Amino acid sequence: MIYKTYQNLISWGKMSTSKIQFDNFESSYSNRMQSMRSSAVRDLFAAASRSDIISLSGGMPDISVLPLDQVAKAASDSIKEEGLQALQYGSTNGRVQTRQLVCDLVKDFFIKAKPEDVIITSGAQQALDLIGKVFINPGDTILVEAPTYLGALQAFSAYEPNIVSVEMDHSGLIIEELEATLEKLGRASKPKFLYTIPSFQNPTGVSLTVERRHKLVDVCAKYNVVIIEDNPYGRIHFNDEVLPTLKSLDNNVVYLGTVSKVFAPGLRCGCIIAPPGILAKINLAKQGGDLCGSAMCQVMVEHYFHDTDWRGTMKKIIPVYEERKNAILNALDKYFPPEASWTKPEGGLFIWVMLPSFINTDELLNVALDNGVTFAPGSGFYPGGHAKSSFRMAFCFEEPKNLDIAVKRLADVINERLDLYRAFVKAGVLKE
Amino acid sequence: MIYKTYQNLISWGKMSTSKIQFDNFESSYSNRMQSMRSSAVRDLFAAASRSDIISLSGGMPDISVLPLDQVAKAASDSIKEEGLQALQYGSTNGRVQTRQLVCDLVKDFFIKAKPEDVIITSGAQQALDLIGKVFINPGDTILVEAPTYLGALQAFSAYEPNIVSVEMDHSGLIIEELEATLEKLGRASKPKFLYTIPSFQNPTGVSLTVERRHKLVDVCAKYNVVIIEDNPYGRIHFNDEVLPTLKSLDNNVVYLGTVSKVFAPGLRCGCIIAPPGILAKINLAKQGGDLCGSAMCQVMVEHYFHDTDWRGTMKKIIPVYEERKNAILNALDKYFPPEASWTKPEGGLFIWVMLPSFINTDELLNVALDNGVTFAPGSGFYPGGHAKSSFRMAFCFEEPKNLDIAVKRLADVINERLDLYRAFVKAGVLKE
C-alpha cells in the first residue's frame, strides 16, 4: 500500500502562537521567510500546558530511566577534570575525544570512521540546516520520502528548494518510484541529494528492507545523487536484527547521528560523518553558523558513554517503548474504525495512521485538543502540507494506561466524523 | 584619523587547513559557498599547537579566574534539581527562567525587556546567522563598520549580501559617513540593516561616543534602517562609565548579548532582544536551524548567575585584562616603529594596529608564526578582505610578560620589513 498524498494546501497561520501585530519591518524580511512554516508540533509544545491533555504529538524520548546521580557526577566531573576546556571556545568541528567516541559508537552500525571524518553538531537538526546551506540554491531539486521528518522540511525550506517526494510503502522507500522520479527529473533537474531515514522512520516507523538498502545506494550512485542518511532511531529496535546502514554500504553517504534518543536531547549533541570534500564545506558553513558547539555538552557526553553502563540503560528503556508500542497498537485495534489503517513498527518512537481522505487531520487536531489529546497532523510531514488525512502518534512518552485513554479519546472524535462520512457513502455522494 | 581601506583581494585558500583532494561532489555545492571564506583565526586555532607560540589572534576570554568548584556544583545541581528538564528538548526560544535572567542582567545596560522579548541563542554567533537568514536576500545591501567582527562577515556572507562598509575613527562609527552612505545608496539599495558593536568594538577596541549614539539611532530611524547592536564586551570596561546601549535609546534596535565574555564561551549561551515582529521571524528560522538550544547549558547559566558572586568574579578579571592592556600598550611604545599607530581601548579585549600600506599583514603572519607569535590579519575584518596593512591583537589571554615578548617578536618582523620600506621612501619611490 502506498501512502497517497493529497494536494491541499493548508493554513499554517492558525497554528501559530504569535499574536497578529503591526510590524514596522514587514518589508525588510528575506524572501526565504515566506517558504518557511512553523511546526505544528513545536507550536503545540508551546501552547499545550493543560495538565489533562495526553500528548502523542512530540517525539520526546522518555529520559526518566536515566541514572540522574551518575549524570550529575558526569556534569560535575566535566568541570572538575576539564573545566578550562569545557567552558572555553572549542574547534568548529568539535572535540577530537567526542569525534573519537562517535567513531567507536557507529561501529555498532557497521560504519568505519576516523575522527577527521566527523563533525559534531548541535543536534542532528543543525546538521540538516548545514546540509541545506551547503547544497541548496533556490529552485534546486532535492528528494525526500513521502512522508518525511517535518524538521528536515523546515531546515531545507529555508534554502528554497524544489522538494520532490518519493512514495513509500511498508518496506520503506519504493526503489522503482525513486528511479522513475530520477528519470523524469532528468539532468536539468538532477536532485542535489536524497534525504532518507531508513530505520524506524519518522513519521511512519517503517524500516527500509535490506534488499532495498542495497538497491538504494546503487541507484543513487548510478544517478550521482548524494544520500543523506539520518539515523536517530537505529538503536531503538524491538528485535535483535540491526539492519546495515546505507553508510556501511557506500562510504559516499552523508550520515547523521545524535545522542538525543540514546542519552539526552538537552545536550544538543549530534554528528555528521561525510566524505572529506563535503565535510570541509560543512565546516566552513558551521564557522559562520555558530563558531563551535558547546564543549561542556561534549565533555558530558564523553563522560556518560565512558563512565556509565549506557547499554544497560538502553536495555531498560527499549522494553518500555515496546510495551507502549504494543499498548497503542492494542488500543488502535480496540477503538479505531475499520476505515483507518496504521503502521506496525519494529522500533523507533512513532506510528502513522491513515484515515479516509474525507477527514482533515489539521481540523481534527482542534477537536482532539478539546477532547484532551494531541497528535501531529500529517500535513506537516509533506512538502506543501498535503496528505491531510493522515497523522503521526508518538508512543514514547506516555504510560500504557494513558495511551489507551488517548487512543479512545481520538477514536471518539474520529468516529463522530466518520458517521458523517458513512452517511455520504450511503447516499452515494462519496466512494468508499 | 580614518582607518583607510585598501582594495586588495587576498588568497584565503592558503590559510586553509584542509588538504586539496579530489571531490566527487564539487558540482553539487550551492553558490553561496563561493562567497564564504574561512576565518584565518579559526584556522590558526586549528593549526597552531606549537607550545612556544604566543597567540594574540583569538579573542578567548581568560576563564582561569572562574570559581571552578562552584561551577562544578552548578553543573551537578542543574541535573539534581532539574535533570528531566535540563536533559530534555526545550522550547525554541529558550527557557523562560533563562530569558528572565537575561532581562535582569540587561538592566545594567539600561534596557527594559520582558522574557517574551528574548530568544536564547547558541552564542551570539547563532544570532548573527539567524539575522542573516531572516533579513538578507542575495544582493541585498547591509551596512557594517570598517573594520568589523570577522565572524559577523562570515555569518552574513552565507546569505550573499552586498556588504557596504562605513568608516570609523577613534570615536567610533562616523555619523556623517553613515548619512552620506545612506544618501548615496538611495531607496533602490536601501540597506536591510546596520551591524554595529558600539562598545569596545571588535577588532578596534574603540567605543562610540554618547553623542554619536544618539545621532546614530536618529539617522537610522530617519532612513528606516534596522540597527543590529552586538554587545559582547560591554561589561569589560576599565573605567566606571557605562555608556548607554543603542537599545536603551531606541526599542526598535535588535540587541545581541552573550555570556561568553562574562562567564563561559563553552556553554554557547547568547541572546537576541528584538521587537515582536522580528523576534517571531527569528523564532521561525531557529526552529529549522536547531529545534532548540541546550537546556542543560541554560540551567547551568541560571545557577551560575543566581548562586555565585559573578560580579565579584568580574571584579577580579577586569583588572587582569586592564593590566594586560597596559602591558601591551607599553610594549608597543617600547618596540614598535614610529610608522605604526594603534588604538588605546578603555575596555574589551582588542587593540588594532595600523602599519604603512606597504606592509601586507597576511604575509606578515607567516613570518610572525615562524617567529613564535600570531595575530589576526586586518583583511579578515573587511568585506572583500582589503585593508591588508592593519591587524588585531587580543591582549586578553596572555600574561603581561608574554605580551611583552610577543610584541617584541612582532616588532622584529615588522622592523625588518620597514627597513625595505624606508629604503624605498629614501629613494623617492614611495611617499612617507
Side-chain angles (χ1 to χ4, degrees):
Chain A
M1 176 203 40
I2 291 174
Y3 307 143
K4 283 286 176 203
T5 62
Y6 301 96
Q7 293 283 357
N8 300 317
L9 287 169
I10 63 146
S11 158
W12 282 84
K14 74 180 172 195
M15 290 305 303
S16 172
T17 53
S18 52
K19 294 179 203 123
I20 292 168
Q21 347 201 355
F22 181 69
D23 184 355
N24 290 329
F25 309 103
E26 196 57 53
S27 64
S28 295
Y29 304 124
S30 62
N31 297 337
R32 73 180 65 81
M33 294 312 293
Q34 289 164 18
S35 58
M36 291 166 78
R37 55 190 199 182
S38 187
S39 155
V41 174
R42 289 264 111 194
D43 285 337
L44 271 179
F45 186 86
S49 53
R50 263 172 55 196
S51 62
D52 60 326
I53 288 178
I54 303 174
S55 171
L56 307 180
S57 51
M60 293 195 298
D62 188 338
I63 56 172
S64 64
V65 73
L66 286 177
L68 285 190
D69 280 357
Q70 291 176 52
V71 177
K73 186 174 181 304
S76 176
D77 287 351
S78 297
I79 300 297
K80 282 181 186 158
E81 295 171 17
E82 295 189 78
L84 295 185
Q85 287 76 48
L87 298 172
Q88 190 54 275
Y89 289 110
S91 61
T92 300
N93 57 348
R95 284 166 56 88
V96 67
Q97 298 93 324
T98 318
R99 289 183 281 126
Q100 181 60 57
L101 172 68
V102 164
C103 297
D104 296 340
L105 292 175
V106 295
K107 283 178 191 160
D108 293 343
F109 295 120
F110 319 109
I111 297 170
K112 288 175 199 156
K114 299 185 292 297
E116 57 265 36
D117 303 324
V118 180
I119 287 179
I120 305 298
T121 54
S122 185
Q125 188 69 29
Q126 189 194 25
L128 294 171
D129 177 61
L130 292 171
I131 283 163
K133 196 178 254 186
V134 162
F135 284 106
I136 303 172
N137 287 320
D140 276 353
T141 299
I142 63 168
L143 298 178
V144 300
E145 295 159 334
T148 191
Y149 169 51
L150 62 79
L153 293 176
Q154 285 189 298
F156 299 149
S157 68
Y159 302 98
E160 301 171 89
N162 171 35
I163 307 181
V164 174
S165 296
V166 181
E167 301 287 348
M168 295 173 67
D169 61 18
H170 282 296
S171 303
L173 197 73
I174 303 170
I175 306 299
E176 292 73 23
E177 292 280 333
L178 174 64
E179 277 212 85
T181 304
L182 286 167
E183 274 302 316
K184 196 175 153 195
L185 287 169
R187 289 179 65 90
S189 302
K190 183 174 113 49
K192 283 295 181 74
F193 58 76
L194 163 70
Y195 171 74
T196 176
I197 309 161
S199 295
F200 317 122
Q201 200 236 17
N202 183 355
T204 63
V206 162
S207 284
L208 193 68
T209 59
V210 177
E211 192 195 344
R212 287 197 190 175
R213 285 172 193 241
H214 284 277
K215 282 186 182 168
L216 181 62
V217 296
D218 287 348
V219 168
C220 286
K222 181 179 159 193
Y223 289 85
N224 194 27
V225 170
V226 179
I227 296 174
I228 313 293
E229 176 181 32
D230 197 358
N231 190 25
Y233 316 107
R235 291 187 189 274
I236 305 172
H237 47 83
F238 304 143
N239 56 37
D240 287 340
E241 190 188 17
V242 177
L243 298 173
T245 47
L246 304 175
K247 179 73 175 168
S248 71
L249 303 179
D250 180 351
N251 203 35
N252 277 329
V253 168
V254 176
Y255 178 89
L256 311 185
T258 176
V259 305
S260 290
K261 271 59 180 194
V262 184
F263 173 27
L267 299 181
R268 310 309 295 126
C269 198
C271 71
I272 305 180
I273 310 178
I278 294 176
L279 212 63
K281 299 288 182 196
I282 298 275
N283 192 50
L284 186 56
K286 192 170 183 296
Q287 277 192 27
D290 72 355
L291 291 182
C292 59
S294 167
M296 174 68 197
C297 288
Q298 292 173 40
V299 180
M300 264 186 80
V301 165
E302 292 163 23
H303 273 285
Y304 179 77
F305 284 94
H306 290 144
D307 303 347
T308 84
D309 178 23
W310 70 272
R311 287 185 195 274
T313 305
M314 285 301 289
K315 275 183 192 149
K316 279 185 208 159
I317 190 66
I318 290 172
V320 172
Y321 288 145
E322 188 174 14
E323 188 192 8
R324 292 174 186 180
K325 190 243 337 179
N326 291 334
I328 206 165
L329 286 178
N330 288 340
L332 282 165
D333 279 336
K334 201 161 47 171
Y335 304 120
F336 261 45
E339 291 91 341
S341 62
W342 50 86
T343 56
K344 292 167 186 69
E346 299 287 309
L349 310 175
F350 306 110
I351 284 174
W352 184 248
V353 180
M354 289 148 285
L355 300 175
S357 60
F358 169 81
I359 291 180
N360 178 328
T361 57
D362 292 306
E363 291 169 9
L364 196 71
L365 181 58
N366 292 326
V367 189
L369 199 57
D370 288 341
N371 229 29
V373 58
T374 69
F375 56 82
S379 55
F381 302 94
Y382 289 85
H386 39 272
K388 296 163 76 74
S389 61
S390 49
F391 65 93
R392 186 192 75 179
M393 296 195 296
F395 54 76
C396 45
F397 205 71
E398 295 281 351
E399 299 283 334
K401 197 187 64 176
N402 276 349
L403 290 171
D404 191 85
I405 297 169
V407 172
K408 173 79 167 65
R409 287 178 183 173
L410 208 43
D412 290 345
V413 174
I414 292 168
N415 277 318
E416 200 173 294
R417 296 276 164 133
L418 278 177
D419 287 343
L420 187 61
Y421 168 74
R422 288 169 191 138
F424 275 121
V425 170
K426 204 173 171 187
V429 181
L430 271 175
K431 273 188 215 166
E432 203 163 349
Chain B
M1 177 201 39
I2 291 174
Y3 308 141
K4 281 286 176 203
T5 62
Y6 302 97
Q7 293 282 357
N8 301 318
L9 287 169
I10 62 146
S11 159
W12 281 84
K14 73 180 173 195
M15 289 305 305
S16 174
T17 53
S18 52
K19 294 180 204 119
I20 294 167
Q21 346 200 359
F22 182 71
D23 183 356
N24 291 327
F25 308 103
E26 195 58 51
S27 64
S28 295
Y29 303 124
S30 62
N31 298 338
R32 73 179 65 82
M33 294 311 293
Q34 290 163 18
S35 58
M36 290 166 79
R37 55 189 198 181
S38 187
S39 155
V41 173
R42 288 264 112 195
D43 285 337
L44 272 179
F45 187 85
S49 52
R50 266 171 54 195
S51 63
D52 61 325
I53 288 178
I54 303 173
S55 171
L56 306 181
S57 51
M60 296 195 297
D62 189 338
I63 57 172
S64 64
V65 73
L66 287 176
L68 286 189
D69 281 357
Q70 292 176 51
V71 178
K73 185 172 182 304
S76 175
D77 286 351
S78 297
I79 301 296
K80 282 181 186 160
E81 295 171 16
E82 295 190 78
L84 295 184
Q85 288 76 47
L87 298 172
Q88 189 54 275
Y89 289 109
S91 61
T92 300
N93 57 347
R95 286 166 55 87
V96 66
Q97 299 92 325
T98 318
R99 289 182 282 126
Q100 181 60 57
L101 172 68
V102 164
C103 296
D104 295 340
L105 291 175
V106 295
K107 283 178 192 160
D108 292 344
F109 296 119
F110 318 110
I111 297 170
K112 287 176 199 156
K114 299 184 294 295
E116 56 265 37
D117 303 323
V118 180
I119 288 180
I120 305 297
T121 55
S122 186
Q125 188 69 28
Q126 188 193 25
L128 294 172
D129 177 61
L130 292 171
I131 284 163
K133 197 177 253 186
V134 162
F135 284 105
I136 304 173
N137 287 320
D140 276 354
T141 299
I142 62 169
L143 298 179
V144 298
E145 294 160 335
T148 191
Y149 170 49
L150 60 80
L153 293 176
Q154 286 190 297
F156 299 150
S157 68
Y159 302 97
E160 303 171 87
N162 170 37
I163 308 181
V164 174
S165 296
V166 181
E167 302 287 349
M168 295 173 67
D169 61 18
H170 283 294
S171 303
L173 197 73
I174 303 169
I175 306 300
E176 292 72 24
E177 292 279 332
L178 174 65
E179 278 212 85
T181 304
L182 286 166
E183 276 301 317
K184 197 175 150 194
L185 287 168
R187 287 179 68 90
S189 302
K190 183 174 115 47
K192 283 296 182 74
F193 58 76
L194 163 70
Y195 171 73
T196 176
I197 310 161
S199 294
F200 317 121
Q201 200 236 15
N202 182 356
T204 62
V206 162
S207 284
L208 193 67
T209 59
V210 177
E211 192 196 343
R212 286 198 189 174
R213 286 173 191 239
H214 284 277
K215 282 186 183 168
L216 181 63
V217 297
D218 287 347
V219 167
C220 286
K222 180 179 158 192
Y223 287 87
N224 194 26
V225 170
V226 178
I227 296 174
I228 314 292
E229 175 181 33
D230 198 358
N231 190 25
Y233 316 107
R235 289 187 190 275
I236 305 174
H237 47 84
F238 304 143
N239 56 38
D240 288 338
E241 190 189 16
V242 177
L243 298 173
T245 48
L246 304 176
K247 179 73 175 168
S248 71
L249 302 180
D250 180 352
N251 202 35
N252 276 329
V253 168
V254 176
Y255 178 89
L256 311 185
T258 176
V259 305
S260 291
K261 271 61 179 191
V262 184
F263 173 25
L267 300 180
R268 312 307 297 124
C269 198
C271 71
I272 305 181
I273 310 177
I278 294 176
L279 212 63
K281 298 289 182 194
I282 298 275
N283 191 50
L284 186 56
K286 192 171 183 295
Q287 278 192 27
D290 73 354
L291 291 181
C292 60
S294 167
M296 174 67 197
C297 288
Q298 291 172 41
V299 180
M300 264 186 80
V301 165
E302 291 163 23
H303 273 284
Y304 179 78
F305 283 94
H306 290 143
D307 304 347
T308 84
D309 178 22
W310 69 273
R311 288 185 195 274
T313 304
M314 285 301 290
K315 276 184 190 148
K316 280 184 206 159
I317 190 64
I318 290 173
V320 172
Y321 288 145
E322 187 175 14
E323 188 192 8
R324 292 174 186 180
K325 190 248 327 183
N326 291 334
I328 206 165
L329 286 178
N330 288 339
L332 282 164
D333 280 336
K334 200 160 47 170
Y335 304 121
F336 261 43
E339 291 91 343
S341 62
W342 49 85
T343 56
K344 291 166 187 70
E346 299 286 309
L349 310 175
F350 306 110
I351 284 173
W352 184 248
V353 181
M354 290 148 284
L355 300 175
S357 61
F358 169 80
I359 292 181
N360 178 328
T361 57
D362 293 304
E363 291 168 10
L364 197 71
L365 182 58
N366 293 326
V367 190
L369 199 56
D370 289 339
N371 230 29
V373 58
T374 69
F375 56 82
S379 55
F381 302 94
Y382 289 86
H386 39 273
K388 297 163 75 73
S389 60
S390 50
F391 65 94
R392 186 193 76 180
M393 298 194 294
F395 54 78
C396 44
F397 205 70
E398 296 281 351
E399 300 283 334
K401 197 186 64 173
N402 275 349
L403 290 170
D404 190 86
I405 296 170
V407 171
K408 174 78 168 66
R409 286 178 184 174
L410 207 45
D412 290 346
V413 175
I414 292 167
N415 276 319
E416 201 174 293
R417 296 272 163 137
L418 278 178
D419 287 343
L420 186 61
Y421 167 74
R422 288 169 191 139
F424 274 121
V425 170
K426 203 175 169 186
V429 182
L430 272 175
K431 274 190 217 165
E432 203 161 348

